[in-house]
Amino acid sequence: MEWRRITSDLTNNHGKISYTIPTDDHFQRGFYQIRMVVKGDLTYTDNYLAVLPPQLECVVFSIDGSFITNLSIMANDPKVRPSAVDVVRRWQDMGYMILYVTARLDIQKNRVVTWLAQHNFPQGMIWFCDTLSHDPLGHKTMLLKNLQKDYCLQYAAAYGSAKDVAVYSQLKIQPSRIYIVGKPKKQATNCTWLVKGYSMHLDDLARPEFLAPAKVDAKVSR
């Protein structure tokens, strides 16, 4: 891998940094690894830049709500719902961009990303909460709305817990494409309940009349 130096800059008082790539520094469509190195001790952190075409179709997965059986992801290797990885991979194989979201703070990034990799979840864009919020669902809603508006993303489907239904309903996602694993609850009716888990749902995703390929193949962007 060949690295190209972009710039050198200072963090703010909280150790965070913001940088806008100049318009004349063009990046072709695809994913780019961005490494930030501290000059003093040469420690570093890796991030990824995605250059995407407009109107790209995405599938949203709330990490805790979609994948964890009963424990928080902060526990020691919490169990993954059966067939959860296969469901994500099916959407990816059909050309959809995978978008992982969580209301957790970004200081938990390494643990969450490591857990996803250990369980072979497909590569996707991962979004964390950048500030402590007393309204995590409201913050998640604003995050997804801003991504939808700023980057012209289309949300083809979404997965999560019953709490996420209110979030997804504000994103113009059809109730038939909002999937929640578990027994139906009265307060969450604008969704599709996967009572028998992901295994039966995976059979539906395998049917061409149920899931068509994405209009623009996100795999080409890699």
Side-chain angles (χ1 to χ4, degrees):
M1 178 188 298
E2 293 186 6
W3 292 94
R4 178 165 67 89
R5 182 179 181 275
I6 297 179
T7 189
S8 179
D9 210 336
L10 298 175
T11 64
N12 60 20
N13 293 335
H14 300 287
K16 294 185 177 182
I17 191 169
S18 177
Y19 176 73
T20 301
I21 298 174
T23 55
D24 57 349
D25 196 353
H26 296 291
F27 284 83
Q28 299 295 322
R29 175 181 167 186
F31 284 91
Y32 300 88
Q33 185 175 358
I34 304 294
R35 175 163 293 181
M36 300 180 183
V37 183
V38 180
K39 281 187 175 181
D41 58 10
L42 299 183
T43 55
Y44 64 87
T45 182
D46 285 330
N47 293 277
Y48 292 88
L49 170 69
V51 181
L52 307 173
Q55 306 304 318
L56 188 67
E57 294 172 287
C58 303
V59 180
V60 180
F61 290 90
S62 174
I63 296 176
D64 285 274
S66 303
F67 304 143
I68 310 302
T69 54
N70 54 4
L71 294 175
S72 163
I73 202 169
M74 297 305 291
N76 292 326
D77 195 20
K79 294 182 179 180
V80 182
R81 292 185 185 277
S83 300
V85 176
D86 296 324
V87 167
V88 183
R89 197 170 299 282
R90 175 59 179 167
W91 282 100
Q92 185 189 60
D93 290 343
M94 295 300 286
Y96 294 84
M97 173 64 66
I98 304 303
L99 184 60
Y100 300 112
V101 296
T102 177
R104 296 181 177 279
L105 291 173
D106 53 10
I107 60 173
Q108 300 178 17
K109 168 187 169 184
N110 288 340
R111 178 174 292 190
V112 174
V113 170
T114 299
W115 182 86
L116 290 171
Q118 287 176 340
H119 292 279
N120 298 312
F121 281 95
Q123 183 186 37
M125 295 188 292
I126 307 177
W127 292 89
F128 293 83
C129 184
D130 56 359
T131 58
L132 184 62
S133 174
H134 297 292
D135 181 16
L137 293 179
H139 186 278
K140 186 184 292 186
T141 302
M142 289 304 301
L143 167 65
L144 291 169
K145 281 187 174 181
N146 289 337
L147 290 175
Q148 192 176 45
K149 177 182 177 182
D150 295 343
Y151 305 108
C152 301
L153 300 180
Q154 291 187 0
Y155 297 136
Y159 293 76
S161 68
K163 295 179 180 179
D164 293 312
V165 175
V167 175
Y168 298 150
S169 297
Q170 299 182 56
L171 303 173
K172 299 180 180 179
I173 303 175
Q174 297 179 3
S176 61
R177 290 297 193 184
I178 298 176
Y179 299 109
I180 310 298
V181 175
K183 297 180 180 179
K185 298 181 180 180
K186 294 181 179 179
Q187 66 269 32
T189 57
N190 296 325
C191 63
T192 299
W193 287 92
L194 304 178
V195 179
K196 296 184 178 180
Y198 284 134
S199 297
M200 293 290 292
H201 179 56
L202 195 60
D203 292 338
D204 290 332
L205 294 179
R207 295 189 285 117
E209 66 273 18
F210 188 91
L211 177 59
K215 298 174 183 177
V216 177
D217 191 348
K219 296 193 296 297
V220 178
S221 298
R222 293 184 207 150

